[in-house]
Amino acid sequence: MDYAAMKAKANREWNFLEQLPQPLIHIGMGTCGKAAGAVAVHAAVKQTLKKIKYLSRIIEVGCIGLCYLEPLMAIRKPGKPFIYYGNLSPEKTEEILKRYILEDDPSPHLAACTLGNGSIEGIPKFNELPMIKPQVRIALRNCGLIDPESIRDYIAAGGYRALEKVVSEMTPLQLIEEIKVSGLRGRGGAGFPTWFKWNATRQEPGREKYVICNADEGDPGAFMDRSVLEGDPHSVLEGMLVAGYAIGAQTGIIYARAEYPLAIRRLEIAIQQAREVGMLGSRIMGSDFAFNISVKQGAGAFVCGEETALIASLEGERGMPRLKPPFPSQRGYWDKPTNINNVETFANVPWIVNHGGAAFAAMGTEDSKGTKVFALAGRIKRGGLLEVPMGITLRDIIFGLGGGIKDDKEFKAVQMGGPSGGCIPATLLDTPVDYKSIMATGAFMGSGGMVVVDATTCMVDLARYFLKFTQSESCGKCVQCRIGTKRMLEILERLCAGEGKTGDIELLLSLGNEIKEGSLCGLGQGAPNPVATTIKYFRHEYEAHINEKKCPAHQCKALIRYYIDPEKCKGCTLCVKKCPVDCISGEKKKAHVIDPAKCIKCGTCLEVCPAKFSAVIVE
């Protein structure tokens, strides 16, 4: 079946679903949904429909971004909008289905929002949700709304229209100019102008060229690329096809980390479907353009997110970076001109072609055009995936879209740029989120992970956590990175163990500068950033660890102690019953005592002590 026939069939099926006389049910079956219990919810939907003897179409969709509400289910009755229900259990799912299908009761008190034409009293609309209202969804335009395993759904939603336009109406140079007008910069972290990389690769001599999609997302707390691949894989394939046409390549490779099995499975399904309808192969859409795509699974080395290390891994070598120049656009995969962009960058491309580069450039700031996808995680009320115009402030993201800090605790910092990024403190919450402004804080945009921490987080321990990650992920090629990060980690571990010494702060900064200057790739150059930024903004916590042998956040076990205030303790014995090591003694209705020699500082006594007493003290 060719593209035209598939497009006609896709539109017919889309119209059929729109006019379906039975309810249509969407279940969020991305990795985040499954982790939250979506598999059990899916089973409950099937069992309930069978029990009440009712026919309904069930479609597994990707993540719509409302991860804090997972698992999610959406039900659409004929002529009505979808109603989204969140935080589901099998029992709650059965209750909702029976009420809505059998009694026409949408249970507004259980609903999260509606989506589509029309409204239902008592239920807010999707676009009115605080987390959704400021968003402009381009890379995420289809995520959670279409069946990611159906090319018909993608085509019916406007998919492959950009490719059709490119091969029938545009020359490669016109296409590159459109991307230049858009101001699209690479969304993988470095923020390099996309058009420049495409043009540089195109200008290199030779017929054999490659397009590589970097899907080796490895930052802790980041799940932007995974969600796009799981929710809308064809958008990435179409972006790669457009890039291939622009630079004169015939081969595309998606380098995806093996820890993303669902994303890889859906990619392979999408590739097979695209091949069957002529989107991949020779004479695409009747033109002279030929292009094929394959998937390569990476073994999970964080350093392979760096493009030259990624290329080495693709060639069967150990993933280690090399000196640049030559750049991949000059000598990349098998020494041939190679263009590398990440998942989000490619997902933006079809939208830019369809709507024009100027429409994309109209959003964002002078230096940072368009939108950016962020993964909001950590101590945040509304964690999830969001896409906002560049230039929005950190405050608007964290306290507006994210709803603020869990349990209404005090905001302390946000870690941006992953383990090679930096921590931005509360005093800089009004910083605009663009490449230049974020870099000025000492952090950087990275691929879009935001990990929010509150006042209970020890910044020395947080820096230790991220440095431990980068130290273990160092490929070992550069001496400064291999040995320097190890020495820095040893110092941080001493500080957290109460063995800090005068001069440790200065030594950390000195080592960090040497590692930055002596490392080939972004991993080593950025590894000291979490330490440098936490020292810059939270130096007093380092000094407390060294000079006072105390952890202000009460997290480093070697630097804290638990005791019971005899004037507050009423001898309720709850702490005695729950203590895992029997280190608390005392008579009933009399003040109790903690034996410091036995105490393992687990915090159980603090958790179970009634708030009206608050007798357990940690210092």
Side-chain angles (χ1 to χ4, degrees):
M1 183 183 296
D2 62 15
Y3 171 71
M6 174 56 72
K7 187 175 181 180
K9 183 176 181 180
N11 289 328
R12 286 197 303 271
E13 184 161 327
W14 193 270
N15 291 331
F16 169 76
L17 289 175
E18 290 287 332
Q19 300 166 11
L20 199 67
Q22 294 88 20
L24 178 64
I25 299 175
H26 283 182
I27 302 175
M29 294 290 280
T31 296
C32 52
K34 288 186 174 184
V39 174
V41 168
H42 187 277
V45 170
K46 294 175 69 175
Q47 291 169 5
T48 302
L49 292 174
K50 184 177 181 181
K51 187 184 298 184
I52 64 176
K53 298 180 180 179
Y54 204 93
L55 291 175
S56 183
R57 180 80 174 266
I58 303 171
I59 297 178
E60 298 180 14
V61 296
C63 175
I64 201 168
L66 305 174
C67 301
Y68 70 101
L69 289 176
E70 295 283 8
L72 275 162
M73 170 182 67
I75 308 173
R76 188 188 70 195
K77 277 191 167 184
K80 295 183 179 180
F82 275 106
I83 304 178
Y84 280 80
Y85 299 92
N87 296 319
L88 294 173
S89 64
E91 295 75 21
K92 189 175 177 182
T93 302
E94 182 176 353
E95 176 190 353
I96 290 168
L97 285 170
K98 286 181 176 178
R99 281 188 179 184
Y100 193 32
I101 292 176
L102 298 180
E103 302 171 21
D104 203 30
D105 176 7
S107 303
H109 64 291
L110 297 176
C113 63
T114 63
L115 178 62
N117 296 325
S119 60
I120 295 177
E121 186 177 354
I123 306 177
K125 292 185 177 181
F126 179 77
N127 290 333
E128 294 173 353
L129 294 178
M131 188 176 185
I132 300 299
K133 193 172 183 179
Q135 293 194 42
V136 178
R137 296 163 75 90
I138 294 177
L140 301 180
R141 59 192 175 276
N142 293 323
C143 291
L145 302 178
I146 66 171
D147 181 354
E149 297 184 14
S150 169
I151 191 172
R152 293 190 297 275
D153 272 23
Y154 181 69
I155 291 174
Y160 291 112
R161 192 175 63 194
L163 179 62
E164 184 180 26
K165 178 180 180 180
V166 162
V167 299
S168 62
E169 301 177 18
M170 303 178 77
T171 67
L173 291 178
Q174 287 175 328
L175 172 57
I176 290 173
E177 180 62 25
E178 199 68 49
I179 300 300
K180 181 179 181 179
V181 169
S182 76
L184 177 65
R185 295 171 62 168
R187 296 304 196 240
F192 203 77
T194 301
W195 78 271
F196 190 91
K197 293 177 74 171
W198 287 18
N199 194 49
T201 310
R202 175 170 180 77
Q203 289 179 341
E204 288 296 315
R207 293 175 56 85
E208 191 175 356
K209 298 178 182 180
Y210 295 93
V211 172
I212 294 177
C213 175
N214 184 348
D216 193 51
E217 182 178 57
D219 292 359
F223 47 94
M224 300 77 58
D225 292 352
R226 171 180 61 75
S227 295
V228 172
L229 294 174
E230 291 178 354
D232 191 18
H234 283 283
S235 67
V236 180
L237 301 188
E238 186 174 11
M240 293 178 69
L241 279 155
V242 171
Y245 179 83
I247 70 174
Q250 295 188 356
T251 303
I253 304 169
I254 301 173
Y255 186 91
R257 59 193 304 104
E259 292 92 337
Y260 284 176
L262 180 60
I264 291 170
R265 183 174 70 82
R266 288 181 174 170
L267 270 174
E268 290 175 339
I269 290 172
I271 290 170
Q272 180 61 32
Q273 291 175 340
R275 188 172 289 120
E276 289 173 355
V277 299
M279 294 296 100
L280 292 173
S282 59
R283 299 196 57 79
I284 293 172
M285 293 186 172
S287 70
D288 292 332
F289 177 49
F291 197 79
N292 279 291
I293 297 176
S294 60
V295 177
K296 164 70 175 180
Q297 296 188 39
F302 181 69
V303 72
C304 287
E306 195 278 333
E307 56 185 11
T308 60
L310 184 155
I311 289 171
S313 178
L314 277 176
E315 293 174 343
E317 302 292 331
R318 183 178 176 187
M320 300 176 79
R322 60 165 173 77
L323 280 170
K324 293 183 287 188
F327 295 98
S329 60
Q330 299 167 308
R331 290 177 57 191
Y333 185 53
W334 299 124
D335 282 339
K336 303 297 181 182
T338 302
N339 178 82
I340 303 179
N341 291 119
N342 88 319
V343 169
E344 185 185 341
T345 308
F346 282 125
N348 278 304
V349 168
W351 190 96
I352 292 171
V353 172
N354 287 327
H355 295 82
F360 191 82
M363 295 176 279
T365 67
E366 185 64 31
D367 176 65
S368 305
K369 305 292 188 183
T371 61
K372 179 72 187 80
V373 179
F374 293 99
L376 200 54
R379 298 295 298 171
I380 193 79
K381 288 182 179 178
R382 294 194 288 261
L385 209 61
L386 50 96
E387 185 173 2
V388 290
M390 293 278 205
I392 189 173
T393 67
L394 287 170
R395 186 184 302 276
D396 288 337
I397 290 178
I398 294 168
F399 287 91
L401 286 85
I405 311 305
K406 277 186 179 178
D407 304 321
D408 294 319
K409 291 186 176 179
E410 180 186 353
F411 169 79
K412 193 168 191 177
V414 57
Q415 167 77 8
M416 284 192 68
S420 298
C423 292
I424 304 174
T427 54
L428 297 178
L429 265 174
D430 292 314
T431 300
V433 178
D434 60 58
Y435 289 101
K436 187 176 180 180
S437 301
I438 294 299
M439 190 168 292
T441 69
F444 65 94
M445 189 82 72
S447 57
M450 285 190 180
V451 181
V452 177
V453 299
D454 62 22
T456 64
T457 301
C458 171
M459 303 309 289
V460 180
D461 186 55
L462 184 69
R464 181 201 60 80
Y465 167 81
F466 281 112
L467 193 66
K468 185 176 182 180
F469 179 89
T470 49
Q471 201 281 321
S472 64
E473 291 291 338
S474 171
C475 72
K477 183 173 185 176
C478 305
V479 174
Q480 288 87 343
C481 180
R482 183 179 73 244
I483 304 299
T485 55
K486 186 173 180 64
R487 296 289 88 87
M488 287 184 73
L489 180 60
E490 289 171 350
I491 295 170
L492 291 174
E493 288 177 336
R494 280 199 292 102
L495 294 181
C496 293
E499 300 171 2
K501 299 182 293 186
T502 301
D504 278 346
I505 296 176
E506 292 69 26
L507 182 54
L508 283 168
L509 293 173
S510 175
L511 283 169
N513 288 332
E514 291 179 13
I515 293 167
K516 283 184 177 182
E517 293 175 3
S519 297
L520 276 175
C521 78
L523 186 151
Q525 293 163 4
N529 284 347
V531 181
T533 53
T534 50
I535 290 176
K536 180 179 180 180
Y537 300 118
F538 302 95
R539 191 183 184 102
H540 62 281
E541 291 200 23
Y542 282 82
E543 292 172 342
H545 280 68
I546 295 169
N547 301 327
E548 302 171 33
K549 306 301 180 188
K550 288 185 177 181
C551 175
H554 301 151
Q555 294 298 314
C556 298
K557 288 187 177 182
L559 301 178
I560 61 174
R561 72 181 184 96
Y562 287 83
Y563 69 93
I564 296 174
D565 187 334
E567 294 184 2
K568 293 182 178 181
C569 181
K570 304 302 179 183
C572 70
T573 73
L574 275 176
C575 59
V576 176
K577 294 173 182 176
K578 296 293 184 179
C579 178
V581 292
D582 297 324
C583 72
I584 304 174
S585 60
E587 297 180 22
K588 195 171 184 178
K589 296 185 179 181
K590 291 186 179 181
H592 286 54
V593 177
I594 296 176
D595 183 349
K598 292 183 179 180
C599 180
I600 61 173
K601 303 172 184 178
C602 64
T604 302
C605 54
L606 182 66
E607 293 175 9
V608 301
C609 183
K612 60 182 178 180
F613 301 146
S614 299
V616 178
I617 310 297
V618 56
E619 66 173 20

